[in-house]
Amino acid sequence: MKSEMSNATGRSSSLGASRSAGRKLIMWNLITLDGFFEGLKSWEIDWHEYVWGDELEQLSIEQSKSIGMLLFGRVTYEGMASYWTTAEGEIADFMNSVPKIVFSRTLEKADWNNSRLVKENAVEEVVRLKQQPGKDMFIFGSANLSATLTKEGLIDEYRLALTPIILGGGNPLFKASPQRMQMMLVESRSLKSGCVILRYQPQRGHN
């Protein structure tokens, strides 16, 4: 499950830059060569261990310093909460203390420390949050929520850890959409494990 912290906080060499006004929304995920962020079963992420190690863990810890809030869909939120509420260490302290928002129409309450439940109008809430000053917001896992925010043009950066494995089947990170979105590569960085950190920004007006 420590690899899930890398999902929240993996970084490359220049990812901690601050913004003078407002804040960015950044998607970060480990993704397989065939485009999945988990296997056929929910939380089938054992393949994260192929690239998890000291290098990615240190990047994760450093990245946490630039994160002001985490956004989740229900399934990702519940999976993360079930693990981190009983974990210990520097990463656990961060995950349990950082402000978190879970977007769900079915969840009754958000029990994880420093969490808030938003049942309606996810797009409006994210627009409001982005207008506030502060550190960047991250979303990871949460493919359906990400698809909604992508459609509305609210994700400022797509940060992917391309993992050298073909899973053969699973839950795709990017859902089917009639829209194309052209991306600009901002930075790439390879790790000793064979994982490649990729940063992309949408090219507005080129879709």
Side-chain angles (χ1 to χ4, degrees), residues 133-147:
K135 296 180 180 180
D136 292 336
M137 301 181 294
F138 274 59
I139 179 172
F140 56 102
S142 311
N144 292 330
L145 175 62
S146 295

Side-chain angles (χ1 to χ4, degrees), residues 102-171:
V102 52
F103 296 92
S104 173
R105 293 187 176 92
T106 59
L107 195 65
E108 292 299 323
K109 57 182 179 178
D111 291 328
W112 195 4
N113 183 58
N114 209 4
S115 295
R116 179 164 64 89
L117 173 63
V118 175
K119 284 183 168 287
E120 302 290 342
N121 300 319
V123 170
E124 292 183 10
E125 178 66 13
V126 171
V127 168
R128 186 185 70 82
L129 290 169
K130 288 187 65 176
Q131 293 172 343
Q132 299 175 355
K135 296 180 180 180
D136 292 336
M137 301 181 294
F138 274 59
I139 179 172
F140 56 102
S142 311
N144 292 330
L145 175 62
S146 295
T148 298
L149 301 180
T150 293
K151 180 181 178 182
E152 298 297 328
L154 291 174
I155 297 181
D156 299 292
E157 185 175 316
Y158 296 80
R159 212 171 279 181
L160 307 175
L162 187 62
T163 303
I165 182 174
I166 296 175
L167 206 58
N171 192 354

Side-chain angles (χ1 to χ4, degrees), residues 3-87:
S3 62
E4 275 305 299
M5 178 58 180
S6 72
N7 249 11
T9 59
R11 65 183 286 274
S12 55
S13 58
S14 60
L15 304 186
S18 61
R19 290 165 60 86
S20 58
R23 48 187 173 180
K24 294 190 297 183
L25 175 58
I26 298 168
M27 173 205 277
W28 167 256
N29 272 294
L30 272 72
I31 187 171
T32 67
L33 290 179
D34 46 352
F36 303 114
F37 76 97
E38 63 182 358
L40 293 172
K41 297 179 181 179
S42 180
W43 284 95
E44 186 180 339
I45 56 173
D46 56 293
W47 50 273
H48 286 194
E49 298 303 321
Y50 295 139
V51 294
W52 180 255
D54 292 343
E55 189 175 23
L56 191 54
E57 182 177 12
Q58 184 58 41
L59 295 179
S60 300
I61 292 171
E62 292 176 10
Q63 176 74 4
S64 69
K65 300 172 185 177
S66 67
I67 296 176
M69 181 177 291
L70 299 178
L71 308 184
F72 300 97
R74 178 186 60 82
V75 175
T76 301
Y77 174 85
E78 290 180 332
M80 296 292 286
S82 69
Y83 177 81
W84 290 111
T85 51
T86 58

